[in-house]
């Protein structure tokens, strides 16, 4: 029988970091829908925010709250900021590199941040973090990895002691066959919902599977209509994922121009505001895009600071050292998700959620730039700490008679559950951004 102490579903920074922080005494399964490396975390360009010094706390707190329209969970924001320095130290210990100047960490600035507090590695910060965490993951002897294995449901039963439902495992689709995998604890780190959108900067296979499964099983969901549209994705007529042009480009001095070549917005306003202004300008000029210019920064600075963006734009025919590049808003991040407490606990016993699939309330109604990687790591560590201190007794895992018809045909996920919930909550958002989605 396939049984583990902990199952972690998803191999972005949340899932990877959680696995690394779990005790070596636990038998852990890390399961991912695609390859281990193929996550949204690996796409993160701008960086990871951190509290630089104690005096910055109030500013950082206010920046996060203001961007989130003051709908954030205050305690969650405090936890994230207060634990940020320890997370950075741990990432560096895991081998992650960040840019330095004179042997000191070098900080950059992005939209809606009051000061420079963002650490980065060139313009591929997420890729650097994910690669180094994976190297560490593969050295853990208590950890088992299954790639190209899709979770399609959770297994649950009734706890006699607590008189409530509890999660005791997952149902997976592996090679088009159903498999039951049992565990005392399941951690969902399945990512956002970008794959449901026609225009998204997310990986196309990441479609909110964990959230759809939660809705199906009556697990509490929060703020499902809080979806961030990023202002600057590279405009293209091709289908598939949109290439993100990091907010750090505007943070370093990039300009947004309308078809007349005029600046029309403060480029460092929060993402939702800039996206709306771009949409208005596109409508005003009946244009498919606006333009981003960083030519004035100089060729050397552009190639040194944004090598990946420079290369990607060049492949599309745009030399950003010499000309403007067409950009358009695209779905980027999901601030809602499975409702959790400060330790990642969902409304179902033994089921936890972390990263973009969860809703800690940190981001409120709109995420502040470079808080995503930080939030994922902070709350992944808190879940790991909770499980490390939790008494796990395999004899309590009651799996008798669980192989019933409820799971017999569970080989697909109904992602329309998410779409229907979003439409019900926010028809205006649905009509503007989602009605031409992929689903």
């Amino acid at each position: 029988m396939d049984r583990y102490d902990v199952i972690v579903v998803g191999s972005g920074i949340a899932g990877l970091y959680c696995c690394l922080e779990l005790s070596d005494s636990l038998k852990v399964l890390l399961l991912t829908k695609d390859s281990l490396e193929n996550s949204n975390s690996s796409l993160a360009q701008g960086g990871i925010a951190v509290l630089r010094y104690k005096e910055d706390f109030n500013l950082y707190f206010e920046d996060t709250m203001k961007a989130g329209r003051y709908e954030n969970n205050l305690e969650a924001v405090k936890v994230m900021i207060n634990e940020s320095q320890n997370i950075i130290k741990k990432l560096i210990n895991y081998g992650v590199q960040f840019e330095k100047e004179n042997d000191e960490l070098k900080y950059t600035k992005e939209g809606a941040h009051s000061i420079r507090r963002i650490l980065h590695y060139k313009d591929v910060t997420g890729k650097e973090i994910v690669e180094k965490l994976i190297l560490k993951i593969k050295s853990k002897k208590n950890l088992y990895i299954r790639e190209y294995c899709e979770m399609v449901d959770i297994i649950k039963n009734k706890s006699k002691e607590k008189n409530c439902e509890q999660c005791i495992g997952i149902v997976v689709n592996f090679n088009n066959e159903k498999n039951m995998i049992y565990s005392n604890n399941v951690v969902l780190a399945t990512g956002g919902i970008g794959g449901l959108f026609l225009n998204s900067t997310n990986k196309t296979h990441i479609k909110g599977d964990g959230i759809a499964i939660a809705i199906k099983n009556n697990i509490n969901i929060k703020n499902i209509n809080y979806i961030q549209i990023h202002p600057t994705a590279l405009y293209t007529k091709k289908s598939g994922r949109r290439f993100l042009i990091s907010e750090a480009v505007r943070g370093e001095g990039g300009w947004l121009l309308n078809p007349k070549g005029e600046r029309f917005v403060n480029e460092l306003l929060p993402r939702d505001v800039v996206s709306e202004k771009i949409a208005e300008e596109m409508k005003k000029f009946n244009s498919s895009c606006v333009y981003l210019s960083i030519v004035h920064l100089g060729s050397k600075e552009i190639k040194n600071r944004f090598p990946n963006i420079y290369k990607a734009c060049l492949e599309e025919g745009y030399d950003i050292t010499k000309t403007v590049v067409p950009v358009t808003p695209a779905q980027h991040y999901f601030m809602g998700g499975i409702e959790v407490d400060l330790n990642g606990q969902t409304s179902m016993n033994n089921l936890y959620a972390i990263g973009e699939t969860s809703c800690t309330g940190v981001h409120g109604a709109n995420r502040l730039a470079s808080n995503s990687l930080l939030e994922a790591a902070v709350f992944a560590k808190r879940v790991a700490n909770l499980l490390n201190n939790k008494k796990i007794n395999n004899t309590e895992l009651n799996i008798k008679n669980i192989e019933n018809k409820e799971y017999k045909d569970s080989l697909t996920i109904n992602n329309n559950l998410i779409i229907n919930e979003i439409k019900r909550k926010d028809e205006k958002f649905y009509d503007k951004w989602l009605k031409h989605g992929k689903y």
Side-chain angles (χ1 to χ4, degrees):
M1 184 168 293
D2 222 353
R3 182 186 286 190
Y4 298 85
D5 294 318
V6 182
I7 298 173
V8 178
V9 187
S11 62
I13 184 175
L16 295 173
Y17 200 92
C18 182
C19 286
L20 286 175
E21 293 295 312
L22 286 168
S23 169
D24 290 342
S25 65
L26 298 173
K27 184 182 179 184
V28 181
L29 172 65
L30 173 60
L31 179 145
T32 183
K33 185 179 181 181
D34 205 275
S35 69
L36 205 57
E37 299 81 7
N38 199 13
S39 68
N40 278 338
S41 293
S42 65
L43 300 175
Q45 297 173 346
I48 180 168
V50 61
L51 179 68
R52 287 185 65 175
Y53 36 77
K54 289 182 180 179
E55 293 76 14
D56 178 38
F57 181 89
N58 289 338
L59 267 181
Y60 190 178
F61 183 85
E62 176 61 20
D63 289 346
T64 301
M65 295 295 296
K66 185 177 180 181
R69 303 177 200 155
Y70 298 97
E71 294 188 32
N72 321 57
N73 179 324
L74 273 64
E75 290 306 311
V77 175
K78 290 176 184 176
V79 164
M80 181 189 71
I81 296 173
N82 282 326
E83 297 186 12
S84 63
Q85 291 183 349
N86 288 332
I87 292 296
I88 296 302
K89 289 175 184 176
K90 202 65 179 282
L91 288 175
I92 292 172
N93 287 338
Y94 282 141
V96 175
Q97 293 186 60
F98 294 111
E99 296 293 325
K100 292 185 176 182
E101 192 170 53
N102 299 322
D103 291 327
E104 296 290 331
L105 290 171
K106 184 179 180 181
Y107 298 86
T108 189
K109 185 179 180 182
E110 294 185 359
H113 283 271
S114 298
I115 68 167
R116 289 177 173 265
R117 64 167 71 94
I118 298 162
L119 295 172
H120 65 97
Y121 179 74
K122 299 180 180 178
D123 56 352
V124 287
T125 310
K127 185 172 183 287
E128 167 67 10
I129 294 174
V130 166
E131 285 180 351
K132 295 301 168 59
L133 295 186
I134 287 175
L135 283 176
K136 289 292 182 181
I137 281 288
K138 290 181 176 179
S139 68
K140 284 182 72 80
K141 294 180 180 179
N142 66 314
L143 180 70
Y144 301 82
I145 298 171
R146 289 194 190 182
E147 298 177 289
Y148 304 101
C149 186
E150 181 182 17
M151 177 188 68
V152 293
D153 209 343
I154 58 171
I155 306 170
K156 59 188 179 182
N157 70 1
K158 200 86 170 177
S159 170
K160 293 181 181 179
E161 296 83 4
K162 299 178 181 179
N163 194 31
C164 61
E165 283 190 331
Q166 61 181 1
C167 179
I168 60 168
I170 61 175
V171 184
V172 300
N173 181 356
F174 187 63
N175 291 333
N176 209 32
E177 291 184 0
K178 180 193 74 173
N179 287 270
M180 319 281 279
I181 308 176
Y182 299 96
S183 177
N184 298 82
N185 302 283
V186 173
V187 182
L188 301 181
T190 49
I193 62 174
L196 302 176
F197 286 73
L198 182 64
N199 295 309
S200 175
T201 63
N202 291 193
K203 299 277 189 176
T204 56
H205 70 280
I206 298 177
K207 301 181 179 181
D209 294 354
I211 296 154
I213 289 168
I215 293 171
K216 174 187 174 184
N217 288 280
N218 298 314
I219 296 159
N220 291 348
I221 302 294
K222 187 175 181 181
N223 298 339
I224 197 164
N225 58 318
Y226 285 9
I227 301 164
Q228 186 171 80
I229 305 298
H230 197 286
T232 53
L234 180 62
Y235 171 71
T236 180
K237 293 181 179 179
K238 299 175 183 176
S239 60
R241 185 180 74 83
R242 298 297 185 254
F243 179 78
L244 175 71
I245 298 183
S246 170
E247 189 159 350
V249 172
R250 287 176 282 127
E252 295 290 351
W255 299 336
L256 283 169
L257 309 173
N258 64 24
K260 281 189 173 183
E262 303 165 331
R263 291 176 73 180
F264 58 90
V265 66
N266 175 354
E267 290 86 358
L268 296 183
L269 288 171
R271 290 175 175 175
D272 57 335
V273 178
V274 178
S275 292
E276 285 292 338
K277 293 294 183 182
I278 290 174
E280 290 172 10
E281 212 70 6
M282 287 166 59
K283 184 177 181 180
K284 177 180 175 182
F285 287 91
N286 192 26
S287 172
S288 300
C289 61
V290 294
Y291 300 90
L292 180 63
S293 175
I294 53 172
V295 176
H296 53 283
L297 298 184
S299 178
K300 184 178 179 181
E301 175 65 18
I302 292 169
K303 291 179 181 179
N304 180 59
R305 178 66 179 86
F306 304 111
N308 184 53
I309 293 173
Y310 170 76
K311 181 182 176 184
C313 290
L314 203 59
E315 289 172 353
E316 288 288 325
Y318 306 103
D319 184 344
I320 59 175
T321 68
K322 298 177 180 178
T323 187
V324 297
V325 60
V327 294
T328 185
Q331 189 278 338
H332 181 59
Y333 195 81
F334 185 42
M335 284 79 63
I338 302 171
E339 185 174 13
V340 295
D341 65 14
L342 295 180
N343 292 310
Q345 174 69 62
T346 71
S347 61
M348 179 176 283
N349 281 343
N350 304 335
L351 182 68
Y352 307 85
I354 51 177
E356 196 173 350
T357 201
S358 71
C359 183
T360 62
V362 157
H363 307 302
N366 179 58
R367 177 171 68 79
L368 181 67
S370 289
N371 269 350
S372 58
L373 296 178
L374 177 61
E375 183 223 12
V378 165
F379 291 94
K381 181 174 177 60
R382 292 177 72 87
V383 168
N385 287 344
L386 184 149
L387 297 181
N388 289 340
N389 294 313
K390 181 180 178 182
K391 184 179 178 182
I392 296 176
N393 186 349
N394 280 314
T395 61
E396 295 177 357
L397 194 60
N398 181 13
I399 57 176
K400 290 181 179 179
N401 303 320
I402 208 69
E403 300 268 356
N404 57 42
K405 62 181 181 180
E406 183 180 355
Y407 302 106
K408 188 175 181 181
D409 299 317
S410 294
L411 283 174
T412 58
I413 298 171
N414 184 7
N415 295 106
N416 276 327
L417 290 171
I418 301 174
I419 301 300
N420 292 338
E421 281 295 303
I422 293 170
K423 186 175 183 180
R424 186 174 66 83
K425 285 278 187 180
D426 196 339
E427 194 157 355
K428 183 179 177 182
F429 177 91
Y430 171 86
D431 287 338
K432 186 169 185 178
W433 300 108
L434 191 53
K435 64 181 178 181
H436 301 301
K438 293 181 181 179
Y439 58 92

